[in-house]
Amino acid sequence: MDELYRENILDHYKRPRNWGTLDPADLEFEDKNPSCGDQLKVMMRVDDAGVVTDVRFDGHGCAISQSSASMASEELVGKSVEELRALDQDFILELLGIDISATRIKCALLSLKIIKSAALGASVDWEDDAEAVPPPGGTGSAAGF
């Protein structure tokens, strides 16, 4: 089962969904992972009811950071800004589906940090400041990414 998640991560890395820019964007934020230099920018359009109608991201970095952004981007359309603000690390870790080591957790959570920052209009702190966390019910390791 772990192999299926790894293949999905690599597929999102090689063929990212919602890649590019969105101009104009109603919400956007850009940041980087200070420990490795991965960079990411998320841009979203929001309707009058406060619901995401379109999302794009761009940036560069490792397979984990870019794949988590691609996977997350597929889940954001239809969510309200309030729902974006309430997202937690389980949102990303469930999408990835594999254990993330302490050295790679900030790579995995970069997209979450940026999505929440865009929704709040200001930078948010890192979630749980980087402990290795297995996905709910999952096993395996992302050390190979």
Side-chain angles (χ1 to χ4, degrees):
M1 185 65 132
D2 204 40
E3 188 59 32
L4 290 174
Y5 285 108
R6 289 177 184 277
E7 288 176 22
N8 191 38
I9 290 168
L10 288 175
D11 181 53
H12 275 270
Y13 179 64
K14 292 176 184 177
R15 290 175 286 285
R17 282 47 153 203
N18 300 305
W19 177 259
T21 58
L22 198 56
D23 189 25
D26 299 310
L27 304 173
E28 67 180 61
F29 202 83
E30 185 172 8
D31 207 345
K32 66 180 181 178
N33 179 348
S35 55
C36 69
D38 291 354
Q39 290 186 296
L40 191 63
K41 180 176 184 177
V42 173
M43 298 145 277
M44 294 176 273
R45 285 196 184 125
V46 178
D47 67 15
D48 292 338
V51 174
V52 176
T53 60
D54 201 359
V55 60
R56 296 286 183 272
F57 79 95
D58 69 3
H60 65 275
C62 69
I64 294 293
S65 71
Q66 302 303 297
S67 295
S68 70
S70 176
M71 291 175 181
S73 74
E74 291 187 309
E75 303 293 321
L76 300 180
V77 171
K79 290 195 182 299
S80 69
V81 173
E82 290 77 28
E83 288 174 304
L84 299 180
R85 292 176 185 152
L87 293 173
D88 62 15
Q89 69 180 8
D90 288 344
F91 169 70
I92 296 294
L93 297 175
E94 287 175 10
L95 291 173
L96 291 171
I98 59 174
D99 288 353
I100 304 296
S101 68
T103 58
R104 303 307 295 267
I105 194 70
K106 282 191 177 180
C107 299
L109 298 180
L110 180 59
S111 59
L112 176 66
K113 181 181 189 308
I114 293 171
I115 291 164
K116 290 180 77 163
S117 295
L120 287 168
S123 185
V124 299
D125 291 331
W126 288 96
E127 282 232 359
D128 287 337
D129 213 12
E131 272 191 45
V133 180
T139 61
S141 173
F145 290 101

